[in-house]
Amino acid sequence: MFPTRSRSEVRSTGWLTVALLLGGLLLCYYLLPLAALVVARPPGDVAARLGDPSVIGAVTNSLVSATASTVVATALGLPLAYWLARTETRWRSLVVAVVVLPLVLPPIVSGLVLLTLVGPNSAVGTAAAAAGVPLTRSLAGVVLAQTFVASPFVVVTAKAAFEGVDDRLEEAAFTLGESRAATFRRVTLPLAWPGVLAGVTLAFARSMGEFGATMMLAYYPRTMPVQIWVSFTTTGLSEAFPVALVLVGVSIAALVVLNLVGTNPWD
């Protein structure tokens, strides 16, 4: 006798097939443009264009600013994430909403918000410029823009990682005479490290790809997304390919890191 399947099993298999076909269309929509980007230009032409001073400058500016933004986001975001993970205050939900707000704001609006606060006509911007540290059309402006849009990834992801650490382990450390800071450094952070690293990686990748807020607040020095826009609007699509490929490589590297540490926030 061959095994028979019930009607519910048949219906379930049929629905899964339909779901796969429909989802497969979306996957193709993700992958085909990337494949088209890779094969659109001969590798030799792309390699030659990568040596252009404007491209090298944009890559350097992006690496420097994204690294600085990630350091700032990590230094300020981890304490906030830990506080959110351990506090019971009624203001916790409001603080989380404020943290998530930059993620849902359109990047152009984020740039406008920052210009209102640190722009050349604001009190903060005027004071900073008088002190010799202009906050617009400068590397400082790029870092401010990137930190605003990327730091929530550190806070949200690290918060989830800290919440995954059993607080009874911290209580045990307290009973052994460890301070809160020492317990965080020796117990909580090592256990939550994969999730923290995932958040830091996402923040770096988001900083590298930031365009809207950076355009509004800084524009100079040009980062890779800004250089892509300038190349596209002045000389055409073909000139924008090399920098775009570098950004695709950064995104793929971020995914590789997330899978290596075994902590993908969207799994």
Side-chain angles (χ1 to χ4, degrees):
M1 294 286 295
F2 292 100
T4 58
R5 293 188 296 177
S6 65
R7 289 184 178 180
S8 62
E9 291 176 329
V10 173
R11 285 197 298 267
S12 176
T13 302
W15 165 243
L16 288 176
T17 302
V18 173
L20 176 61
L21 291 175
L22 294 176
L25 293 176
L26 188 59
L27 289 175
C28 290
Y29 186 60
Y30 295 151
L31 293 175
L32 288 178
L34 292 175
L37 176 66
V38 172
V39 303
R41 301 284 293 177
D45 291 352
V46 174
R49 183 75 177 93
L50 285 174
D52 188 280
S54 63
V55 175
I56 296 175
V59 173
T60 302
N61 292 333
S62 287
L63 289 173
V64 171
S65 60
T67 300
S69 301
T70 304
V71 170
V72 173
T74 303
L76 301 180
L78 287 187
L80 179 57
Y82 182 73
W83 180 84
L84 288 170
R86 291 294 182 256
T87 189
E88 299 294 338
T89 179
R90 61 180 179 176
W91 301 107
R92 181 174 179 272
S93 297
L94 178 60
V95 174
V96 172
V98 173
V99 169
V100 175
L101 184 60
L103 295 179
V104 298
L105 281 178
I108 292 293
V109 176
S110 297
L112 286 174
V113 169
L114 292 173
L115 275 175
T116 304
L117 177 64
V118 302
N121 298 322
S122 68
V124 176
T126 301
V133 188
L135 301 180
T136 56
R137 298 178 70 84
S138 66
L139 185 63
V142 176
V143 173
L144 286 175
Q146 292 177 347
T147 302
F148 186 82
V149 300
S151 56
F153 287 102
V154 174
V155 179
V156 173
T157 310
K159 169 181 169 292
F162 290 142
E163 288 174 340
V165 177
D166 193 337
D167 55 9
R168 289 176 297 181
L169 297 175
E170 294 182 340
E171 293 172 1
F174 297 153
T175 61
L176 295 174
E178 294 285 2
S179 65
R180 171 72 73 173
T183 299
F184 175 80
R185 187 177 66 255
R186 298 177 181 177
V187 178
T188 310
L189 186 58
L191 292 174
W193 180 245
V196 171
L197 181 58
V200 171
T201 302
L202 289 171
F204 180 80
R206 181 67 183 86
S207 296
M208 290 285 287
E210 166 52 32
F211 172 69
T214 303
M215 276 283 291
M216 294 295 293
L217 189 62
Y219 191 76
Y220 286 109
R222 290 176 183 167
T223 57
M224 286 194 288
V226 175
Q227 184 61 42
I228 289 173
W229 173 251
V230 171
S231 297
F232 173 70
T233 55
T234 57
T235 56
L237 186 62
S238 61
E239 295 299 313
F241 279 128
V243 187
L245 286 175
V246 174
L247 278 178
V248 170
V250 170
S251 301
I252 293 174
L255 290 176
V256 170
V257 170
L258 291 176
N259 282 280
L260 287 177
V261 300
T263 305
N264 189 327
W266 292 287
D267 273 350

